[in-house]
Every structure is written in C-alpha cells, then in structure tokens.
Amino acid sequence: MRIASWAPVIVLLLLCAIISVINPNFLSFGNMVRISQSAMIPLVLGIGATFIIIMGSIDLSVEGVLTLAAVVLSMLVLNGENANDYGLFAVAAVLIVGAGVGFINGLINVRLKVPSFMTTLGTWFIGVGIANALLGGMATRINDPWIRGLAIERFWGFPWGVWVALLCLLIALIIQNYTRLGRHVYALGGGEELAALSGISVARVRIAAFTIAGVFYAVGGILAAAQLGLGNAQIGNGRLFTTITAVVVGGTSLSGGQGSVLQTVVGVLIVVVLSNGMVLMGVPPSVQIGVQGLMIIAAVALSINRKLMKIIK
Amino acid sequence: MTAEIPTLSLVDVDKRFPGVHALKRVSINIMRGEVVGLIGENGAGKSTLMKILSGVYQPDAGEIRIAGQAATFDDAADANRKGIGMVFQEQSLLTNMTVGENIYLGNEAQFTRFGIVDWGRLYAAAERQLAKVQVDVDPRARADTLSFASRQMVELAKALTLEEHAGDHFVILLDEPTSVLERAEIDILFERVRALKSRASFIFVSHRLDEVLELADRIYVMKDGAVVADLNSSEADTTKLHHLMVGRSLQAEYYREPLQRPYRENVVLETENLSLGHAYKNVTFQLHAGEILGIAGVIGSGREELTRTLAGFAPHDSGLLRIDGQSVRLTTPAKAVDLGLGYVPRERRVEGLVLFLPVAANITLADLATFTRNGLINSREERRIAEGWVERLRIKTPTINTLCLNLSGGNQQKVVLAKWLQAKARILILDHPTRGLDVGAKEEVYDLARAVTSEGLAVILTSDTLEETIGLSHRLLVMRDGEITHRTDAAPGHKPSQIDLIGHMV
Amino acid sequence: MPMNSSLKRLNIDRLRHWLPLATLIILVTVVGVMEPVFLQPSTLLQLASDTAVLFILATGVTFVIMLGGIDLSLQSMASFSSVIVALTIAQLGYVSFGLAVGTGILAGFLSGIAHVKLKIPSFIATLAMGGVLFSAALVASKERSITLGDAERSYQTWVTGSHFGIPNVIIVGLIVLIVAHVLQAHTRFGRYSAAIGAGEPAAYASGVKVDRQKIFAYMLSAGFAALAGVILAGRLSSGSPTLAAEMLLPSIAAVVVGGTAITGGVGSIWRTLVGSLIISVVRIGMTFLSVNIFAQNIVFGSVLVLAVAVTIDRSKIPIVK
C-alpha cells in the first residue's frame, strides 16, 4: 500500500478524534452499534460498486436492484399482503434477481456497447419501476421472524445484519484477492487493451463483475427490508449517492485499476461516522447530502491522476 | 540451412489498406535460435508486418507457417497462444499490478484450485521466469515501482512463459525495445537475448542500425512494402544498410526543386537556447518568411517534442521563443493559432480533422470569428469560402457537406491545409505531412508546400524519410539527443546527401 | 475508407436521422386511431403544454450531451429553482424568476469548473452537484412543499395564462426552441460544441478554447433546468425539493430518443423536440392504454437503453467502459 491510500484512514481517525472530543458519547458501545447498523447496508452496496469502479466503469443501478430485491423479498416471505412464506428460498430468489439484473447490465454494456453509466441509469429506473408495479404504490409489511431478526436479534451485541455484512466483506476479499476474476477486474481497469492482449476475455470479466455487484446490491436490499420491516418503492432513495461517495472517498479511483474492497470499508466508515457525528452535533440530515456531494468532488479531485487523463467526458 | 524447417515463416504475405499497398508478397524465415533484424524507414511496412505476426492484422494473401505448419492468428491473444511473444517499446505491463501477476496475466489457471489462486506457487513460478532473464526483481513488487529497464526484462520474462505451452518453436518480437533504455541497460538486454537464443528465436526491430548490426544474426531490409535485402550481419555495415533502406537517389523533380525560391530576409520565428526538460535543450534557430526549414533526427532526438512545443502542446521551460520579434510561450494550441501558427499533425485523423464534421466546418474551424456577425455565423459566407478552397486546392469531395471521414487521406490533408490557409496562418508546422499518403497525394502536398512558401509562408518540416526532408527544405537542422548537431543549406542543386546527415543523427 | 462501407455508413446515418420523426408520426397515428380523442386540438394543446417543461430540461442537457458529457443534476436544479421561486416570489415578484435562473447558471458554472478544471468526469461532478442542490433545496424549504397563494400566482400568468387560445407555456417553449436552436446551429459556441463532441483533439489543436465551451454548456444546461423549475412552480403553484425528482430519466431519454448520440458531436435541438414529443406521446398513450402509472419507468428505462444502443457510434469508442 502506498502513502496516498492511507490518507482515508487518517481522515477517518481524525474524524473520530474530533467528534469524540466534542461529544464523548461517540465512543460509547451503544453508539458503536448504531454506527455499525448504519454502516452495514452502505458497506454491502459499496463492496459491489467497488468491483465495477475498479474496472473503470460505473454502476448507477444500485437503487434499482436494492429496491427490487427488497420488494420481491417482502412479497415472498411471510408478509402482510399475501399467503407466501418461502423463507430461505425467498432469500435465494432475491439473490438470483440481483444477479440477473447485474448480468443484464453486463450484457448490455458488453454486447450492445452501451456505456455503463447509461446502461445502469436505464436499469436503475427499470428496477424501481418493476418494484413499483409489483406493489402498486403500496408497501408490504414483513412478518418473517428470520428476516426481521437480521435487524433485531443480536450476537455479541451487534445485530445479525452487521455479521451478514461482514460475511459479505470476507467473500468479497476472497474474490478480489484469491480468484482470477478478482485480478482480471484490476487488469481491465489498469489497461483493457493490454488485458485483452494477454488473452483475458474482457466480455466475460465485465459480465461476471456486474453480476457479482448485483448480488451484493440484492443483499443490501434484504438488509434494508429487514431494517425497515417492509418493502416499498422508496426504500432505495439516496442510497446510490452514499454508495458512490463511500467508494470514492475510500480512495478507489474512478479511472479504474486502483482501489480495493478494504478501502471501501474505510470510505463507508468515513461517511457513516461523519453523519453520525453530525447527528450528535445536531446538524439536520438534509445538510448531509450536500456534504456528501462536496466530499465526492473533493475526493475525486484529489485522487485523479490528471497527467494520465487527456480527455475527460 | 535449407534442410532445416524454420521456426516461423511468412510466405508471400500481402496486405492492402485503402490507398496503400502496405505489404507486397513479403517472405521471411526465422530459424530456431536465430535473432533476425528487421529494418526500414517509416512507412516501409515494418509495423504492418509486426502487426500481422502478432495477430493484430490478418494477411490478405499468403501464409504464416509455424514449424512448417500453416497457421492463422485470430487476434493477439491467439498469436500468443501459438507461440508469438511480444516485447513492445511502449510499456505493456499493467502498472497497477505486481510483476508476478503481469507475468502470468491471463494464464493463472495453472495455479488455481477450486477457483482460488495459489499465490505462493504463482510467485515462485514468476521467480523462476525472472531468473531466466537474470533480473533481480521481487515478483511481488508493483510494476510501476520498477525502472524502465527492469520492466523491459519483466516483459522478456513474460514472453518466455511461452516455453510452457508453445514448446520449442516460439518467437519473441522485440519492437524498438531499446528506445527508452540507457546504453548500459541495452548491453544487459542484448546479453540476455544472446543467452536466451538457445531457448527462443527473436525478431528485433529498431531504428538504430548499429544496434541491429550488433545483435542480429541476419537482417531483412524493407522498403516500400517489400523485402529488398536479406543479408548476414557480418556482411553488412551501417552505410550499406542505409543505402538499402533508402534505395533510390534523389529525384530533384519529385520534390519540386525547380520551384524552390530563395527565402526572404525577414525572420518570422526564432528560438534562443530553447529547452524542455529531458526532451531537448539549447535549441537556437531562425525561420524566415518563405522558407522550409527541415528538422532531421531519429526517434528520441527531441525533434518531435520541439514540434509539439511550436504547436502549443508542450510549452518550453527555458530559453526564448520569438514570433515576429515578440517573446512568447505557447501554453495552448489556441495561443499558437492566435499568433499565426498552423499545425498539420501527423495524427491527421485525430488531431488534424474532426472526422465526423463536414468538409466545410473543418475548413472554417480555426477562422469562424471572421465571418461571425452579431454572434451569428454567416453560413452563406461559410459555404462560399469552403467551396473556394475545395476548388483552389482541388479537394475531391462529393459536396462540402460530406463528412471528412469519407475523404481519402490526401484530400483530408488538403482540408487540414485549407483550414490553416483560411485562418491566414503565417507559419505552418508540417509534422510528417505525407504519412500514409500514396505517391500522387504526396506530390500534391509537395506542390502545395512550394506554392505557400512562394507566397511568403514559413514552414517547419519533420518527415518520415530523410529523402523528403532534404528534398523539400531550404535549410536543414539535424538533432541528436535533444541538441542540434548540424546545420546545413539545401539549395536546389546543392542538396546534402543523406549519408552526410546520418553521421550527425546516430 | 472502402466505398461500400461508406455507403453503408450513409444509409445508417440516414436511418438514424429519420427514425425518430418516423417513430413520432407512427406513435401519434397509433394512439390517434385507438383513441380519436387524442387528435382533438384541445388534447394536442394539452400534450404540447405538458411537453414544454420536459423539452426545456432536455434542451439544456442537449448542449452538454453534444459535447460528449452528461448532466445528472438537472432534476435537483429544477426542484431547487421551484423552491427559490416559492420562497421569494412574495417579496421579489418577477425578480424571483431571475434569481432562480441566475442560481442555475451559477450552479452550472460550478459544475463546469469542477468538471473542466478539476478533471472530474461529468457524470460524477454533476451527480455531486445534484446532491448539493438537493440538500440546499431541503434546507431552504425546511423539507416541505410550499404552496403559493393567489397574490403570488398573479406573477405567474406568463406561465399559466394563454394568448389566442394557446397556452403561454407553449409560447415559452417555442421561444426556448428558437433561442436554443440559434445557439446550437448558428453560433460559434454551437459549432465548437459539435467539433469538441465529434473530435476533441482536433478541435483543441485547431485553437478552440475547449474548456470555455464546456463550462458554457454546463451553464446553459443548469440555466435551462432552473427555467424549467420556474415554469413547473407556476404550473403546479408550488415549490418543493422533490418537485422535479422524476424528470431526470425522461429528459435524458428525450435527448437520446431524438437521435442525439451520447458520444457527442451529432445532434440538434429539433431532434430533442421530436424526442420530447415521443416521450410525451408514449406517456399519454400509456395512460390511454391504462398501463400502470408506476410501470412507466420500466418503459422509459428500456427506451433509454435501446435508444442509446441504436444511436451510439461504436466506431468512436473502441473501449466501452
């Protein structure tokens, strides 16, 4: 790791130090649990987006997949609207839905050569649209105790959802560091032509990465549904923004090739700690979106290697 | 020698591009354990040949044979699988990944169990590859922490992984591998290549004839898309090779020498000790109205960067640059254009023209202000101007609304020239102005160069061939390692010979 | 360039050129046959009025897309603009409209600076700017919708009234059309934009001040988005931080469906007009066919991706990221 990639860690530590000086409550166990609860969904989403951004692409479909996943889950598990009660099968179905949307993203990107930001802009709204159509503008209450338990039941003081997010992190680390796919994602970001010259199937890697990202967003949908106790079409609102902020603030470069899942963990913590701190200090949540916007600009501006980029579109 | 089957051979390979016959029935053989040099001027067909060998292009006719068996390469990865390794002049390592990952990029399957890569085994194998080229590099280091020389060695090590699946018959293409290296590093590279001859065959492409003589066992000389000589290094020297590369003697008529008028008294552009980083230093010259000033030099001589400085892409960092007596620093092309410079770039289709705009819009692009009234473009005036240039320069285009994309190279180049003439540029920078053009189109460019200088425009010329530079120029500068090593007049009838200049170039 | 491939290219270009208009005519015919009410003048005027805001948003982003960029902040800008109007119209009267549009131009300037000077890709710079604007709108409005009273509405007759039976909003739309068309087709800015979108290196080498043109395009985009917000505030008699939240996708879809390529260089305001009308007709058609209103995003999202796939010039992008 280089010095530059430690900068986010230093920022995080400084942030924690400042907030705990102003409000010592910040360091209490209760607040740590609160932070972990608000970090678990951004973490899972950020992990998925990290793979895409390392590849040099972007994924705007985060909210679409998450909403669709949450709604499908709410309608398949024990719920207040219909007689379904598929339990774990519902979870599996939701993961497949996420993988499916991701797969379609990859397919459109690779086969139709539609740039990823346009592809995923489209599937973002298609996802939310389908979720809306399924619900007809209503919300579905989740009664499944296992799903609700993700948010309520605790293990070692932390909700199960947090442990699920950590499991996702572990899986992502393995994919990133110990599989060919993980390394090829870096190769694509470092230089797609060179990667192709080395015999890497660019199309396959891209489709696989989008698919994996879709699965992680679907997990995010499950956690979001568990946290809210229902599925509705607004459940994804604002999540794309937080996700991209976290990935970028963590130091993963939008131009591709640089960054890691671990850096995204730091990025997520920066975003979550900052908003936690702002809540402790009484700053209204509406200001936080603006602060995140400025953070994105600052982080990207600091991380871009301008010498390498001649034309920015 | 005839009894042995070549490791790789090309038999009557032919390749055409629109307007250019790039390879004319080229046949070459590479024997096992041989280092074959490949030389020729730019445009002689070397790079097309290399691209066919590396699978980027497919031949229109003829055959590639590996160990006597006919082979086709679908793409670069396929050529690689079939035993063609490549070491390029531009770095082809992924700088964001480790040395070991680079060496086995795309070939990690052998270290993968149940989908999990065994990094220990991969790095151990990488270490063995690095040992083959005797380079002391940690396979776990990121590629961007290495010197250029070490990266070159890593590329060689990567190419040698071909041994694992291509068996005995594999060839490594060394494409200008020395251009970024220091002399000591070149010595090491050559030593390693010689040591590896027992394992592989090599094709070595370089502009530096002395290096080719030093390393290659046998040399193919290319000219105008054909192989014109195949000789053993022991029989050759740089003078002989250069003669073979250039071939014909100067034809005064071809470069319109009778039309070369003496240049005028007034200096339009001058430099004094102009320097830019490591690219060039202490460059001093004067350019007069009506003059064509040719700059000769090999790749790395600094002439390319000097040209870019004058076009506004790479401002100088010390020394003086005066245009019409005013000291200036050209920080952007827009500034250069304002001062009356016009850049005819070598990348015509990228920097010369907006291919996806019509002919008319390209001709007027640098001069829209003159026929804008109250903020509105006078489109009737624009049409009139564009049609005027199409007629004057005999630009062959269906209409002025045709996209430049659909024009031939020669006519595209005329559009670029029309743009600068319309913008009333007083100094033209012709950066390889005839690259990729056929003979007829070249002659038209020469005619135009003569015509505009007769009217008092000044021209700075760099060119693919020395012949062209000498033939067109009034005066010549020769650059080597960033400095001017020689200046000479080139009046009609008293043109210097190429051999005179070569001595100052290499 | 071999002859047959350039012929093929011409045909594809011609197809790309006329396809949007043909689509619009077919759509109008189909909906008209199924629901004859649709072709009555009053319905058509209603359609045109409903299209105006979408068209103005799409017009702004057309300038940016022509350059090969994108503006993802336009819906937040329009909403913020409606909030500005709603908050200040009582004190400032007509000046509040100028304030809103001026704020838009300033925001566009900042996006442009972030994009050009800090070299941040446009989709990220504008996404971030969108967040800042949304936040500003939330704070300014105290997170609620502000309804305008009768006194305040009197300033908005230029939006809500009509002349000779034609709603004013259509007239405003036509003025925008003319201004934007002139800008795009008859000024140096328009020409330089096309040149930058079609071949930035060549435009730069020809002395075009690329950065300046880009910043101006983002100012136009945000300025038109703010104008759209002003009109929206008039039509809905309210201002709210989410007033235009659903407008981003249809706006970009309108530009792309009209045949402007997101790779830049090719496009016009007329195409954006055709694209906006297509989107409106599709929307009305879906209502007539009683397609679930919530499902409309599915249609628009699919149309967007499809239209990009059809209009994109693959020869210009060897690597699709």
Side-chain angles (χ1 to χ4, degrees):
Chain A
M1 276 227 208
R2 303 148 146 225
I3 300 167
S5 55
W6 286 103
V9 178
I10 295 166
V11 169
L12 177 61
L13 292 177
L14 274 177
L15 211 56
C16 291
I18 294 169
I19 297 172
S20 47
V21 167
I22 298 174
N23 190 333
N25 260 339
F26 173 77
L27 289 175
S28 69
F29 183 74
N31 196 46
M32 288 294 136
V33 173
R34 239 188 320 271
I35 287 176
S36 75
Q37 274 171 316
S38 30
M40 67 186 187
I41 298 171
L43 178 63
V44 176
L45 300 178
I47 287 169
T50 304
F51 285 103
I52 306 298
I53 293 179
I54 288 176
M55 216 159 54
S57 297
I58 190 74
D59 195 342
L60 304 178
S61 71
V62 174
E63 292 180 17
V65 181
L66 178 137
T67 309
L68 185 58
V71 167
V72 169
L73 181 81
S74 72
M75 297 178 84
L76 290 183
V77 296
L78 191 64
N79 66 70
E81 292 295 314
N82 57 36
N84 289 339
D85 181 11
Y86 293 109
L88 272 181
F89 291 107
V91 171
V94 164
L95 296 183
I96 290 169
V97 166
V101 179
F103 182 77
I104 291 169
N105 278 336
L107 214 57
I108 295 174
N109 177 236
V110 168
R111 297 283 170 236
L112 298 182
K113 296 206 171 194
V114 175
S116 57
F117 80 91
M118 271 292 166
T119 305
T120 53
L121 184 67
T123 45
W124 169 7
F125 286 95
I126 294 173
V128 175
I130 295 175
N132 243 323
L134 287 174
L135 288 172
M138 309 297 288
T140 311
R141 170 154 299 284
I142 292 173
N143 296 327
D144 185 304
W146 285 93
I147 299 293
R148 296 290 289 132
L150 283 173
I152 299 164
E153 301 288 329
R154 296 185 180 214
F155 176 71
W156 285 359
F158 289 93
W160 276 105
V162 174
W163 298 106
V164 169
L166 289 176
L167 179 68
C168 285
L169 175 62
L170 184 70
I171 293 170
L173 282 172
I174 291 172
I175 294 176
Q176 179 185 273
N177 294 322
Y178 292 97
T179 69
R180 273 181 286 166
L181 176 69
R183 303 321 290 171
H184 290 174
V185 162
Y186 278 91
L188 257 56
E192 198 158 311
E193 280 160 342
L194 289 177
L197 277 179
S198 298
I200 294 174
S201 165
V202 171
R204 216 180 292 166
V205 174
R206 290 193 151 272
I207 293 174
F210 274 105
T211 307
I212 289 176
V215 174
F216 281 113
Y217 305 151
V219 174
I222 295 170
L223 294 179
Q227 209 164 45
L228 251 72
L230 51 80
N232 69 22
Q234 290 75 43
I235 199 164
N237 287 358
R239 305 224 187 237
L240 168 70
F241 209 62
T242 314
T243 304
I244 291 184
T245 312
V247 175
V248 168
V249 167
T252 296
S253 156
L254 280 173
S255 34
Q258 308 285 343
S260 73
V261 169
L262 275 183
Q263 279 172 263
T264 296
V265 176
V266 178
V268 167
L269 287 175
I270 291 179
V271 171
V272 170
V273 165
L274 187 66
S275 61
N276 178 272
M278 289 200 289
V279 170
L280 289 180
M281 288 180 252
V283 180
S286 51
V287 178
Q288 291 178 12
I289 304 162
V291 172
Q292 284 185 6
L294 295 176
M295 278 164 70
I296 292 181
I297 292 182
V300 177
L302 289 174
S303 72
I304 280 183
N305 186 343
R306 282 179 194 81
K307 282 192 185 127
L308 287 179
M309 304 187 72
K310 278 264 180 313
I311 296 179
I312 315 288
K313 291 243 165 158
Chain B
M1 191 152 171
T2 43
E4 200 185 334
I5 297 168
T7 286
L8 174 74
S9 51
L10 294 187
V11 184
D12 289 339
V13 165
D14 218 82
K15 182 76 187 173
R16 282 171 193 272
F17 297 104
V20 188
H21 195 172
L23 290 182
K24 301 168 185 161
R25 295 172 65 86
V26 169
S27 296
I28 61 171
N29 291 315
I30 295 105
M31 312 310 285
R32 183 141 192 249
E34 195 178 29
V35 180
V36 171
L38 184 64
I39 62 171
E41 289 189 297
N42 280 328
K46 274 180 313 183
S47 50
T48 309
L49 185 67
M50 295 297 268
K51 283 187 173 148
I52 282 183
L53 280 174
S54 56
V56 178
Y57 294 155
Q58 279 68 44
D60 296 337
E63 210 169 63
I64 305 170
R65 289 183 196 154
I66 295 172
Q69 303 288 312
T72 53
F73 302 148
D74 297 339
D75 53 34
D78 189 41
N80 194 259
R81 275 192 295 277
K82 288 171 179 164
I84 310 290
M86 285 160 273
V87 177
F88 295 109
Q89 74 182 86
E90 307 102 48
Q91 296 297 318
S92 60
L93 295 182
L94 288 166
T95 51
N96 65 329
M97 306 186 78
T98 67
V99 168
E101 285 174 330
N102 267 292
I103 289 176
Y104 284 105
L105 191 66
N107 288 318
E108 301 91 343
Q110 50 188 313
F111 309 108
T112 311
R113 277 258 169 92
F114 309 115
I116 300 293
V117 178
D118 181 345
W119 290 113
R121 278 210 301 138
L122 186 145
Y123 282 117
E127 196 124 32
R128 283 195 296 280
Q129 291 299 329
L130 291 166
K132 285 183 193 168
V133 295
Q134 299 173 42
V135 61
D136 184 26
V137 165
D138 179 0
R140 290 173 195 266
R142 261 174 64 132
D144 56 359
T145 61
L146 270 53
S147 71
F148 282 119
S150 305
R151 288 189 214 177
Q152 207 74 273
M153 294 299 173
V154 172
E155 293 209 35
L156 201 51
K158 178 178 177 173
L160 283 173
T161 60
L162 278 174
E163 277 187 315
E164 293 165 7
H165 50 272
D168 282 349
H169 290 283
F170 71 101
V171 176
I172 295 176
L173 309 182
L174 302 168
D175 188 4
E176 301 278 353
T178 57
S179 51
V180 292
L181 302 187
E182 303 289 333
R183 184 63 232 185
E185 296 166 342
I186 293 173
D187 287 339
I188 298 173
L189 176 72
F190 283 8
E191 187 199 310
R192 301 286 193 278
V193 169
R194 285 193 203 98
L196 290 167
K197 273 161 68 172
S198 59
R199 296 175 182 273
S201 312
F202 293 88
I203 299 179
F204 178 46
V205 180
S206 177
H207 273 88
R208 302 182 188 172
L209 300 182
D210 49 340
E211 290 177 3
V212 177
L213 281 167
E214 188 185 335
L215 184 65
D217 303 310
R218 207 154 49 84
I219 299 172
Y220 284 106
V221 184
M222 291 194 72
K223 186 175 142 48
D224 297 334
V227 170
V228 294
D230 166 10
L231 64 178
N232 285 326
S233 301
S234 50
E235 305 161 3
D237 58 46
T238 42
T239 321
K240 185 170 180 183
L241 287 180
H242 202 273
H243 255 295
L244 287 166
M245 274 166 62
V246 176
R248 82 200 117 180
S249 56
L250 272 188
Q251 296 159 307
E253 190 56 33
Y254 185 58
Y255 294 109
R256 308 301 189 256
E257 276 177 45
L259 295 172
Q260 183 171 331
R261 302 268 171 267
Y263 54 82
R264 303 175 189 184
E265 294 279 291
N266 54 318
V267 172
V268 290
L269 181 150
E270 65 181 321
T271 68
E272 233 172 80
N273 292 323
L274 203 67
S275 305
L276 171 63
H278 298 290
Y280 57 82
K281 54 183 177 293
N282 299 328
V283 171
T284 302
F285 67 85
Q286 294 187 322
L287 176 71
H288 304 81
E291 179 183 26
I292 300 180
L293 179 67
I295 307 178
V298 296
I299 289 174
S301 65
R303 69 166 181 163
E304 321 287 345
E305 291 83 355
L306 180 62
T307 319
R308 298 294 278 181
T309 296
L310 297 177
F313 287 89
H316 61 275
D317 41 42
S318 69
L320 280 179
L321 170 63
R322 286 198 205 93
I323 292 173
D324 296 326
Q326 294 279 322
S327 176
V328 292
R329 189 162 179 272
L330 303 175
T331 46
T332 61
K335 200 162 174 186
V337 173
D338 282 346
L339 291 164
L341 287 134
Y343 178 51
V344 179
R346 104 183 52 175
E347 297 272 351
R348 185 186 313 128
R349 296 164 64 85
V350 180
E351 285 184 341
L353 293 166
V354 184
L355 287 180
F356 292 83
L357 280 189
V359 171
N362 271 289
I363 291 178
T364 56
L365 186 58
D367 195 41
L368 276 177
T370 42
F371 47 99
T372 305
R373 300 269 175 284
N374 306 318
L376 300 183
I377 295 170
N378 182 338
S379 40
R380 193 184 307 165
E381 180 79 354
E382 180 180 24
R383 223 173 304 134
R384 200 183 59 73
I385 286 169
E387 274 162 3
W389 285 113
V390 166
E391 198 181 312
R392 268 185 67 188
L393 303 188
R394 294 196 297 278
I395 300 172
K396 287 195 203 77
T397 172
T399 73
I400 57 165
N401 297 320
T402 305
L403 297 187
C404 282
L405 180 80
N406 298 320
L407 267 54
S408 73
N411 286 300
Q412 288 180 343
Q413 193 67 306
K414 288 187 201 169
V415 173
V416 180
L417 284 164
K419 172 175 70 185
W420 294 123
L421 296 177
Q422 172 59 32
K424 296 177 196 62
R426 290 168 301 111
I427 304 164
L428 286 185
I429 298 154
L430 303 186
D431 185 356
H432 301 76
T434 57
R435 177 169 284 188
L437 302 188
D438 57 28
V439 176
K442 280 184 182 169
E443 289 187 84
E444 288 194 274
V445 171
Y446 302 150
D447 273 330
L448 272 171
R450 289 296 178 216
V452 299
T453 44
S454 298
E455 286 167 26
L457 264 77
V459 170
I460 291 190
L461 170 74
T462 62
S463 178
D464 282 328
T465 67
L466 203 46
E467 184 184 322
E468 186 177 283
T469 316
I470 296 172
L472 281 178
S473 300
H474 290 79
R475 288 189 307 137
L476 286 155
L477 304 175
V478 182
M479 293 184 73
R480 183 178 62 205
D481 298 335
E483 289 185 273
I484 294 178
T485 50
H486 187 63
R487 298 159 195 271
T488 177
D489 274 325
H494 301 88
K495 297 274 180 185
S497 77
Q498 301 190 30
I499 302 303
D500 294 343
L501 300 186
I502 296 272
H504 300 282
M505 286 164 62
V506 292
Chain C
M1 182 80 9
M3 211 48 205
N4 57 352
S5 94
S6 48
L7 276 179
K8 209 155 108 196
R9 148 147 246 121
L10 275 179
N11 283 334
I12 292 172
D13 284 348
R14 194 156 296 165
L15 183 70
R16 280 192 195 139
H17 200 265
W18 293 111
L19 191 63
L21 195 59
T23 309
L24 178 60
I25 292 169
I26 292 169
L27 277 174
V28 169
T29 316
V30 169
V31 178
V33 167
M34 294 172 71
E35 287 285 339
V37 187
F38 176 72
L39 292 177
Q40 283 174 7
S42 62
T43 324
L44 290 177
L45 279 180
Q46 187 59 41
L47 173 78
S49 312
D50 289 345
T51 310
V53 171
L54 173 67
F55 169 69
I56 293 169
L57 282 167
T59 294
V61 77
T62 303
F63 287 106
V64 171
I65 292 178
M66 276 294 282
L67 288 161
I70 191 74
D71 187 347
L72 298 180
S73 69
L74 54 91
Q75 79 292 13
S76 302
M77 186 62 243
S79 302
F80 184 36
S81 161
S82 77
V83 170
I84 294 175
V85 169
L87 288 173
T88 61
I89 193 166
Q91 293 87 39
L92 299 178
Y94 289 111
V95 177
S96 72
F97 305 135
L99 181 66
V101 174
T103 310
I105 292 170
L106 179 67
F109 177 75
L110 294 176
S111 298
I113 292 285
H115 169 52
V116 165
K117 298 296 175 197
L118 302 178
K119 310 232 178 207
I120 299 175
S122 60
F123 73 88
I124 280 290
T126 54
L127 188 71
M129 178 54 74
V132 173
L133 293 170
F134 182 45
S135 193
L138 285 174
V139 172
S141 67
K142 301 195 179 63
E143 299 181 40
R144 64 199 162 83
S145 176
I146 305 153
T147 309
L148 298 179
D150 287 337
E152 292 147 354
R153 286 182 204 178
S154 65
Y155 291 107
Q156 291 172 319
T157 49
W158 64 277
V159 175
T160 52
S162 63
H163 279 89
F164 317 108
I166 297 172
N168 286 350
V169 67
I170 297 180
I171 298 168
V172 173
L174 286 175
I175 294 171
V176 167
L177 171 68
I178 293 165
V179 170
H181 169 70
V182 168
L183 262 177
Q184 198 273 318
H186 297 288
T187 66
R188 273 185 282 163
F189 160 73
R191 179 66 61 81
Y192 291 150
S193 301
I196 293 167
E200 187 165 333
Y204 182 66
S206 301
V208 174
K209 295 184 174 86
V210 172
D211 288 0
R212 199 181 293 179
Q213 310 302 327
K214 285 187 173 176
I215 292 173
F216 189 58
Y218 286 91
M219 289 163 71
L220 281 177
S221 179
F224 277 120
L227 177 63
V230 169
I231 294 172
L232 216 48
R235 297 197 79 201
L236 302 177
S237 300
S238 70
S240 125
T242 54
L243 200 66
E246 294 289 317
M247 300 293 285
L248 173 65
L249 186 72
S251 307
I252 293 174
V255 178
V256 177
V257 168
T260 295
I262 54 146
T263 32
V266 182
S268 75
I269 302 301
W270 293 104
R271 292 189 186 197
T272 296
L273 177 65
V274 171
S276 307
L277 287 169
I278 290 177
I279 297 288
S280 281
V281 173
V282 167
R283 181 176 287 169
I284 289 184
M286 286 195 290
T287 323
F288 280 151
L289 297 174
S290 52
V291 173
N292 183 341
I293 189 149
F294 300 111
Q296 290 193 359
N297 272 332
I298 306 173
V299 176
F300 290 138
S302 316
V303 165
L304 174 73
V305 173
L306 256 173
V308 175
V310 172
T311 55
I312 202 165
D313 201 332
R314 291 178 179 78
S315 59
K316 281 166 75 182
I317 38 169
I319 292 179
V320 182
K321 284 281 183 185

